[in-house]
Amino acid sequence: MAEAKLQETATEAMISTLSMPQGGWAQPAREDALARVRAMGLPQRRDEYWKFTRPDTLTQAEPVPAAIFEHGDAPMFDGIDRLRIVFADGEFDADASDDLSLEGVKIERLATAMSDLHWARDLYGTLEKNGQNPVPRPLAALNTAFATDGVLIHVTGRPSKPINLIYKHKSETSDAMLHHIVKLDAGAEMTLLENGPAAARFNTVMEVDVADTARFHHVRAQGRDHERRAATHLFTRLGTESLLKSFTVTVNGAMTRNECVIELTGDDASAHVAGASVGDGDFHHDDTVFITHDAVNCESRQVYKKVLRNGATGVFQGKILVKEGAQKTDGYQISQSLLLDGDSQFLAKPELEIYADDVACSHGSTSGAIDEEALFYLRARGVSHAEATDLLTLAFLAEAVEEIESENLREEIIGRLSSWLERRSG
Amino acid sequence: MLSIKNLHVELEDEDKKILKGVDLEVEAGKVHAIMGPNGSGKSTLSYVLSGKDGYEVTDGSATLEGNDLLDLEPEERAAAGLFLAFQYPVEIPGVGNMTFLRTAVNAQRKARGEEEMSAADFLKEIRAKAKDLKIDADMLKRPVNMGFSGGEKKRNEILQMAMLEPKMCILDETDSGLDVDAMKLVAEGVNALRNEGRGFLVITHYQRLLDHIKPDVVHIMSDGRIIKTGGPELALEVEHNGYADILAEVA
C-alpha cells in the first residue's frame, strides 16, 4: 500500500509540472492518455520491465541538468540529400528547418495542425494505447497526454529524399516531449532520419501506421553527448506485404531507453529492428523490443549489438509473441555484447511466446571479449593494437548496421562509428 | 638477416620448457627449412618470433637485421619486415579481406614513415597479385578467411605476403591440409617472392613441400633443439627413413 501511495505521489508530482495543450482534435486522446498514466502510475524499479534500468531520472519531476555537448563533427547525415526539420529543446525551429514541402508526402506539425477532421486523429495515441498491453509503458502515455509538438507525416507516394528530424539541445535543464505520427498509404515508401541530443531529458513517441505494401525506413543516431537522458518509443502497425526497417546507433548517453513495439497485422509483412551502441563509462543503454505476430507468413528480425567499456551497462529485453493462427512465422532475435573490460555489464532478457504450431523462431544472446586470436592475426600483419581493436569492434557492430537498406546510409553510419572509435582510442 | 641465439622458451601458464637452446642464422636470399616430428617446438618457434602471447623467453636472443625482435610488439615486428604465414589462418567475421589488407599495408608503411598507398594503386596491385594466386574478386570481398577452404586460406596467406613484401618470411606448416594442386599453387606463389634480399624459414613436417620450394639449408628439430643441419638431401633422408634414424644417430 505504501509503495502504491509513493508511486501515486511521484506520478502526480510529474503531472503537476506539465501542462496539457488545450483544444483541437487531439484533446480527447490526450485526456484518455492522462487517465492511462494515472491508472498505471509511472515506472518503478520493482516493475518487471524496469528491473535492469532505473527509471528514476526519467520519472522524477525535474530533469537532471545536462551539459551542452559540442562535438565539432560535421552534422550527422550531412552527406545525404534530405529535408530537415529542426527542433531545439523540443521547440520547432523554423529558421533552421527546410520548407516543409516535398512531393509524395504531406508534413504538418502537431502544434499547428488544427482542422477538426484531421487524419491523424484516428492514430494519435491509438498505437500507443494498443502497445500498453500486456506490458505497460506509462512514459509513452505521458507523452501522448503532454507532448508539446511533433510532426504529422502523411506519405502518399515515394518522396525523393529522406525527412530528417534534427534535435538540438540548447538549455542545460530542458525537458522535451515530442510526439510524431507517420502514416504510409498503400504502396508508399519513405525514409525517416532522426538525430541530435534534443534536450537534457527527452521523451518521444512515434506512431507509424504502415498500410499494405508500404515500406518505412527509419535510421536514428543518438550520440555523442554524455549526459543525455532519453526515453523513446516507436509503435508500428504493419499491413499486408509491408515492411519496416528501423535502425538506431547510440554512442554515449547517461540514460537511454529505446522501446520498440511492433505489430504485424497483415500477412507476409516484414519487420527488422536493429541497434548498434557504443558505451564508455557512465553509459546506460536499454533496448526494449516487443514484436507481435498476428498474421500469416510474416518475418521479424531483431539484431542488437553493444560495445561496452569502463563500467558501461547495456540492457536488452526482446520479445517475440506469436499469436494463435500466425502460422509460418519466421522470427529471429540476436543480442550480443562485446565487453572490452571486466567492469562493464550486459543484461539480457530474450523472450519467446508462441501460440501457433507451424513457426520458426530463434533467439540468441552472447557476451564476449575481443577475440584474441583475431587480434594477434591483425597485429602480426602490422596493424596496431588500438587499430585492430577498432576494426574488430566495427566488425562486431556491422551485423546490426547491415540491417539498413540504403548503402549511402550504411556508409554514413559506418563512417561515423569508425571515426568515433578512432578518436576514442587515439 | 634472422639471427637466433641460444633461444630458450617456456609456456607462460605451465612450467613447461618448449625451446631448449635454438641457434639459427637465415641469410638474405636463402631458404631454410625446419623439419621435425610433432611436438619438437617448430610452431612455437614461429609464434615466439612473431610475438604471440603465452610464451616466456627465459634465455637467448632473436634479431632481424640487428633489431631485437623479442623487445618489439607483434605489429612492430611486422613493420620491421617479419611475416608469419599461419598454420591456421584466423577467420574474422565482419572485416572484409580487402579492407584488412589495405589497413595492414598502410599501417606498416606508416610505421616505417612511408607514404600510404593510394586506393587506386592498392587496387591495381592486389588485383594483379590475386590473379597469380587464382584468388577471385569474391574472395577479396568476403570477410577475412570466412568460408574459405583450406587451400584458399593458405593462398590468402601468400597473397598477404606478396602485398606486404616482408624481408623475412616464416611459413608454418603451409602444406598442411593441402592437396597436391593447391600445394603447387602456394609454392609457385612463394617461389615468385624469392629474391636476393629476402629470407625464408619454411617449417614443415613432410618433405613434399620442399619438392616445390627448394631449400638451401635443412634443419632437423627435436625436443626444442636443432639437432642436425644439412643440404636438401637431409630432407630426402627424412622422407625415406623417417625421423627415427636421425634421432638415434644424434643420441
Side-chain angles (χ1 to χ4, degrees):
Chain A
M1 249 356 254
E3 272 186 38
K5 187 73 200 158
L6 220 59
Q7 183 182 27
E8 194 187 320
T9 310
T11 304
E12 290 305 325
M14 171 64 108
I15 290 170
S16 72
T17 66
L18 300 164
S19 68
M20 185 184 293
Q22 294 298 306
W25 51 268
Q27 179 91 26
R30 290 180 182 278
E31 300 285 358
D32 196 28
L34 179 57
R36 279 200 292 285
V37 176
R38 290 201 154 112
M40 290 184 273
L42 288 178
Q44 289 186 294
R45 191 97 200 273
R46 63 184 166 83
D47 293 351
E48 176 69 16
Y49 273 77
W50 289 88
K51 257 186 192 160
F52 301 141
T53 296
R54 291 189 83 101
D56 320 28
T57 56
L58 297 171
T59 58
Q60 67 194 42
E62 299 295 330
V64 180
I68 310 294
F69 182 78
E70 301 290 348
H71 57 67
D73 295 344
M76 191 76 203
F77 303 123
D78 207 25
I80 309 279
D81 181 25
R82 67 220 198 274
L83 186 145
R84 291 167 301 179
I85 304 176
V86 180
F87 291 91
D89 291 329
E91 283 181 35
F92 179 64
D93 184 340
D95 294 339
S97 300
D98 292 325
D99 179 23
L100 302 189
S101 62
L102 181 64
E103 200 171 326
V105 59
K106 188 165 185 235
I107 309 166
E108 292 168 89
R109 283 175 45 219
L110 173 64
T112 54
M114 281 307 162
S115 91
D116 269 355
L117 287 170
H118 201 275
W119 60 264
R121 197 178 60 173
D122 295 337
L123 282 173
Y124 190 87
T126 305
L127 300 187
E128 172 262 299
K129 187 179 177 181
N130 286 348
Q132 297 290 353
N133 188 25
V135 181
R137 305 169 199 282
L139 290 169
L142 187 76
N143 178 298
T144 299
F146 295 105
T148 53
D149 207 347
V151 288
L152 310 173
I153 303 175
H154 185 186
V155 192
T156 52
R158 297 180 173 223
S160 59
K161 55 185 174 186
I163 293 172
N164 188 183
L165 303 178
I166 298 168
Y167 308 119
K168 290 186 175 161
H169 178 202
K170 292 193 164 159
S171 153
E172 292 194 351
T173 55
S174 54
D175 196 8
M177 235 183 250
L178 295 178
H179 193 118
H180 309 302
I181 307 276
V182 182
K183 178 181 163 68
L184 292 101
D185 287 351
E189 177 164 15
M190 83 157 291
T191 300
L192 184 71
L193 311 174
E194 289 184 275
N195 66 277
R201 182 166 68 183
F202 193 36
N203 176 333
T204 62
V205 168
M206 184 182 295
E207 296 179 281
V208 185
D209 188 29
V210 188
D212 298 353
T213 69
R215 297 161 71 85
F216 180 60
H217 306 272
H218 178 223
V219 177
R220 175 167 58 175
Q222 301 170 315
R224 292 184 286 133
D225 47 315
H226 297 273
E227 297 175 13
R228 168 192 68 244
R229 290 171 202 275
T232 77
H233 313 83
L234 172 68
F235 296 94
T236 307
R237 179 169 67 195
L238 288 155
T240 304
E241 288 178 41
S242 67
L243 170 91
L244 161 74
K245 280 199 162 193
S246 174
F247 169 85
T248 302
V249 61
T250 308
V251 178
N252 299 338
M255 168 61 64
T256 311
R257 164 101 159 189
N258 292 331
E259 294 199 22
C260 201
V261 183
I262 293 160
E263 202 171 358
L264 297 138
T265 60
D267 297 347
D268 304 301
S270 190
H272 293 200
V273 289
S277 54
V278 180
D280 196 340
D282 184 17
F283 172 88
H284 186 103
H285 179 86
D286 175 331
D287 284 301
T288 292
V289 181
F290 198 114
I291 298 184
T292 305
H293 283 259
D294 197 10
V296 175
N297 203 31
C298 291
E299 176 222 19
S300 70
R301 279 173 71 81
Q302 303 172 40
V303 181
Y304 286 87
K305 301 268 191 160
K306 299 179 200 293
V307 178
L308 306 167
R309 74 169 184 186
N310 291 328
T313 300
V315 174
F316 174 78
Q317 306 186 96
K319 177 155 181 171
I320 306 173
L321 169 64
V322 181
K323 287 199 176 173
E324 205 180 320
Q327 303 295 8
K328 307 283 181 198
T329 286
D330 178 2
Y332 173 76
Q333 178 195 92
I334 183 96
S335 63
Q336 295 181 309
S337 74
L338 179 61
L339 303 174
L340 295 179
D341 54 44
D343 301 331
S344 304
Q345 60 171 346
F346 177 55
L347 305 160
K349 191 172 78 172
E351 288 181 284
L352 291 178
E353 195 176 330
I354 302 173
Y355 297 99
D357 55 12
D358 184 13
V359 303
C361 283
S362 64
H363 67 88
S365 184
T366 64
S367 278
I370 282 272
D371 179 351
E372 289 296 330
E373 294 289 324
L375 191 64
F376 175 65
Y377 191 66
L378 289 166
R379 294 179 72 193
R381 295 298 175 253
V383 183
S384 71
H385 191 287
E387 198 177 352
T389 303
D390 288 352
L391 206 57
L392 293 173
T393 303
L394 207 55
F396 168 79
L397 294 170
E399 191 190 350
V401 181
E402 286 300 315
E403 292 295 327
I404 302 172
E405 196 161 289
S406 149
E407 193 179 340
N408 284 344
L409 288 170
R410 270 203 311 269
E411 278 172 10
E412 169 87 16
I413 298 292
I414 289 280
R416 291 291 166 145
L417 278 170
S418 134
S419 78
W420 287 332
L421 291 173
E422 207 171 288
R423 198 161 346 173
R424 189 187 61 180
S425 53
Chain B
M1 162 114 354
L2 178 68
S3 174
I4 302 169
K5 292 200 168 77
N6 193 33
L7 191 64
H8 284 70
V9 172
E10 291 179 13
L11 283 184
E12 233 165 44
D13 292 343
E14 36 192 315
D15 191 21
K16 193 177 172 197
K17 295 181 170 62
I18 309 281
L19 300 183
K20 302 171 182 174
V22 174
D23 288 285
L24 185 67
E25 295 281 340
V26 180
E27 309 82 5
K30 299 289 184 199
V31 174
H32 285 233
I34 294 188
M35 303 182 72
N38 290 330
S40 56
K42 306 188 298 290
S43 285
T44 294
L45 179 63
S46 75
Y47 286 141
V48 170
L49 291 175
S50 53
K52 194 172 189 193
D53 279 346
Y55 302 97
E56 192 188 344
V57 175
T58 53
D59 202 4
S61 67
T63 58
L64 181 66
E65 292 187 311
N67 294 315
D68 181 1
L69 283 178
L70 304 178
D71 201 32
L72 300 177
E73 296 294 332
E75 55 269 33
E76 294 169 330
R77 301 181 196 202
L82 187 77
F83 182 93
L84 169 65
F86 282 59
Q87 180 178 3
Y88 304 109
V90 181
E91 299 186 355
I92 311 181
V95 178
N97 209 13
M98 198 89 114
T99 308
F100 159 63
L101 262 168
R102 189 150 173 243
T103 306
V105 167
N106 284 331
Q108 292 202 12
R109 287 182 167 226
K110 222 164 89 185
R112 290 194 292 258
E114 299 165 13
E115 241 183 69
E116 293 194 7
M117 200 188 241
S118 76
D121 287 349
F122 175 80
L123 214 60
K124 205 171 135 196
E125 199 173 322
I126 196 166
R127 280 194 182 136
K129 288 177 172 167
K131 199 174 161 209
D132 292 342
L133 286 158
K134 297 203 167 76
I135 289 174
D136 60 22
D138 181 52
M139 271 175 72
L140 289 178
K141 257 190 255 161
R142 285 203 318 242
V144 179
N145 294 321
M146 290 294 289
F148 287 24
S149 70
E152 287 173 336
K153 282 181 182 166
K154 296 299 170 77
R155 263 144 60 200
N156 201 33
E157 292 293 290
I158 307 306
L159 175 65
Q160 293 168 37
M161 194 193 283
M163 289 301 295
L164 294 168
E165 300 180 331
K167 291 172 184 159
M168 179 68 219
C169 307
I170 303 173
L171 283 72
D172 186 11
E173 307 260 1
T174 293
D175 52 335
S176 71
L178 296 188
D179 60 29
V180 177
D181 289 338
M183 191 163 60
K184 267 188 175 165
L185 201 56
V186 165
E188 278 168 22
V190 172
N191 289 331
L193 291 171
R194 287 178 76 158
N195 68 30
E196 283 176 8
R198 187 170 286 147
F200 285 86
L201 185 60
V202 179
I203 295 172
T204 182
H205 187 73
Y206 300 105
Q207 186 267 340
R208 57 176 198 164
L209 179 67
L210 304 179
D211 284 342
H212 303 284
I213 304 173
K214 299 263 190 270
D216 298 295
V217 183
V218 175
H219 308 274
I220 307 295
M221 192 164 188
S222 171
D223 192 26
R225 282 189 199 89
I226 287 173
I227 55 165
K228 192 167 182 179
T229 296
E233 72 286 349
L234 191 53
L236 292 170
E237 196 184 321
V238 169
E239 175 74 0
H240 292 129
N241 306 330
Y243 289 108
D245 284 6
I246 297 170
L247 297 182
E249 173 192 324
V250 173

